[in-house]
Amino acid sequence: MTPWTVPPTRLYRWGSTRARYWVGLTLIVAGVAATNLTSTYSILFLMIGPSVHLAGWLVLPGALWRRPPAALPALLAGLVLLGGADFTGAFAALLACWLFVRHRPLLSYLALLPPIAVSFLLKDALRSYDQNWIGYLVGTVTVAASAWLGWWLHGWVAGRRPRRAPRRAGQTDAGEAADISADPQQI
């Protein structure tokens, strides 16, 4: 097993990994938020939001071949969110793109289940246009929590999960010696 190490801080031509991560994440969130502020009276946000969103995906650290293919579906998902609470399933598409760009293993994609489940709940619960902000807020919190879940699953797959000390023969969970006459399958 290879131990986990911190990536080098100057891996790219400009900016550190951490700086590019935070700038990219900020641009993605700001782009989706600006896109969803679009209304009949603020069409300018429809031009600014997707541009900022796309720039965020291109700035993120990661393999270059992963970023543009993920940016286009994520851009479409950000635009679909304009439809309101009926389209909150697009948050799952945004999370899938995030997991792809962040090089998460296949098991991490189980983190897509909470946003999908929440989208069904929100579709049934929210009925009017005035409630869209609730859908956006709940969807954003769910995707953020699911992204952390995907990160945890990635660590679990990579072997960085906490482990219990190996149990010695004749020892129970409490650490005391077991009865010798006990069934060996129980120990």
Side-chain angles (χ1 to χ4, degrees):
M1 175 178 85
T2 305
W4 183 77
T5 58
V6 177
T9 56
R10 293 295 285 174
L11 187 61
Y12 301 100
R13 291 185 184 181
W14 63 272
S16 66
T17 302
R18 182 172 297 212
R20 288 184 64 169
Y21 172 80
W22 285 109
V23 168
L25 180 61
T26 303
L27 289 174
I28 290 169
V29 171
V32 172
T35 302
N36 287 307
L37 287 174
T38 302
S39 71
T40 306
Y41 304 106
S42 60
I43 294 293
L44 183 64
F45 285 119
L46 191 56
M47 184 174 60
I48 294 171
S51 303
V52 170
H53 185 180
L54 187 61
W57 284 103
L58 297 178
V59 167
L60 275 177
L64 180 61
W65 69 270
R66 286 181 178 252
R67 289 181 277 155
L72 295 177
L75 183 65
L76 185 61
L79 290 170
V80 164
L81 285 172
L82 279 171
D86 289 343
F87 297 98
T88 55
F91 279 113
L94 288 169
L95 178 61
C97 293
W98 177 260
L99 295 173
F100 179 72
V101 168
R102 298 297 298 157
H103 301 267
R104 300 294 185 234
L106 195 56
L107 184 64
S108 295
Y109 287 83
L110 287 175
L112 292 173
L113 296 177
I116 292 171
V118 166
S119 70
F120 284 114
L121 294 173
L122 289 175
K123 183 178 166 98
D124 289 339
L126 305 178
R127 301 261 184 243
S128 70
Y129 182 78
D130 296 338
Q131 297 174 331
N132 281 349
W133 69 273
I134 297 169
Y136 295 145
L137 180 66
V138 171
T140 302
V141 169
T142 303
V143 165
S146 296
W148 280 103
L149 176 63
W151 171 80
W152 182 82
L153 288 170
H154 171 69
W156 189 75
V157 168
R160 292 181 299 225
R161 61 192 175 276
R163 296 189 183 150
R164 294 175 57 176
R167 195 182 289 181
R168 286 182 260 154
Q171 198 174 37
T172 62
D173 285 335
E176 64 270 353
D179 183 15
I180 300 298
S181 64
D183 184 13
Q185 298 294 336
Q186 300 293 328
I187 297 177

